[in-house]
Amino acid sequence: MNEQSLVEHSIDVMRAVRDELKESVMLGVLLGSTGTILEQVPSSYPVKLFVEPGTQFDLHSSVGGKCILANIPSEEADEALRGKTLTKYTENTITSKKEFKVMLKEVKSKGYAIDNSEDIQGINCVGAPIFNEHGYPVAALWITAPYGRLPASQFETKGKIIEKYAMKISAKLGYLTQSV
């Protein structure tokens, strides 16, 4: 699947996320050892984070990177991080690879990831992976907002909502989930 068809399968769901949560919605993929924003739907609030499609993001400090790395085989995650320094951007950025790997296990078990002002001070993100028909994480869907509108106390609630929408995109890509 190419990036354009991924966007085409995702855009209506991204708008639905924005309509429900009112925050900017991002769609990103892993390209080599960095992430890339494919598309965004801006927040309905007057103050919003806008990121140009094509913008790259570090895997260790971004919710998109965490969503994907937590769900690929550990050898692939290790390869994506090999030789990389986990740069400290804020006081919350994880800079230890050992600590980062523990956090990836938590992301996989929860089904969603968070960025608690780890990439940009004062900006929080919550997201979930998007899977293809083989169960491989091909992208991530997330919301991004100022920490005042997306405090840590809302991470779990919003994470479950984003996970539900990410699964809708995954189903469009042929991913079959177990009914609960």
Side-chain angles (χ1 to χ4, degrees):
M1 165 166 293
N2 66 34
E3 287 87 4
Q4 186 58 39
S5 62
L6 181 58
V7 170
E8 290 168 2
H9 281 89
S10 305
I11 195 72
D12 60 327
V13 176
M14 293 174 71
R15 289 183 183 124
V17 173
R18 189 265 325 272
D19 293 347
E20 180 174 345
L21 300 178
K22 312 292 186 235
E23 299 299 352
S24 295
V25 182
M26 308 286 172
L27 177 71
V29 295
L30 185 68
L31 294 175
S33 59
T34 60
T36 301
I37 302 280
L38 289 185
E39 188 59 84
Q40 74 157 345
V41 175
S43 167
S44 55
Y45 288 108
V47 175
K48 59 193 90 188
L49 186 69
F50 183 84
V51 181
E52 292 286 339
T55 299
Q56 294 190 325
F57 53 87
D58 283 322
L59 303 180
H60 74 286
S61 59
S62 67
V63 76
K66 294 175 189 178
C67 286
I68 296 169
L69 288 177
N71 289 283
I72 61 176
S74 58
E75 308 80 44
E76 287 183 44
D78 290 344
E79 183 60 33
L81 294 171
R82 186 164 287 121
K84 286 247 196 219
T85 300
L86 304 188
T87 305
K88 186 172 189 70
Y89 296 113
T90 73
E91 63 186 29
N92 294 344
T93 307
I94 297 171
T95 57
S96 156
K97 286 188 181 177
K98 184 176 180 183
E99 190 180 329
F100 186 70
K101 287 180 181 182
V102 168
M103 183 271 313
L104 289 178
K105 287 181 181 164
E106 291 172 18
V107 168
K108 186 168 176 92
S109 71
K110 286 181 180 178
Y112 64 90
I114 63 165
D115 166 355
N116 189 12
S117 293
E118 295 164 54
D119 197 48
I120 301 170
Q121 190 64 44
I123 301 295
N124 288 347
C125 305
V126 179
I130 295 169
F131 299 98
N132 67 12
E133 72 273 17
H134 305 294
Y136 190 85
V138 293
L141 177 75
W142 69 92
I143 59 169
T144 184
Y147 72 95
R149 290 200 316 246
L150 184 56
S153 62
Q154 293 182 9
F155 287 166
E156 182 176 359
T157 304
K158 301 277 171 89
K160 293 299 180 189
I161 292 169
I162 301 294
E163 183 183 19
K164 174 185 75 173
Y165 281 109
M167 281 299 152
K168 286 183 179 192
I169 298 170
S170 298
K172 288 180 168 194
L173 301 180
Y175 182 66
L176 303 174
T177 58
Q178 297 287 331
S179 296
V180 178

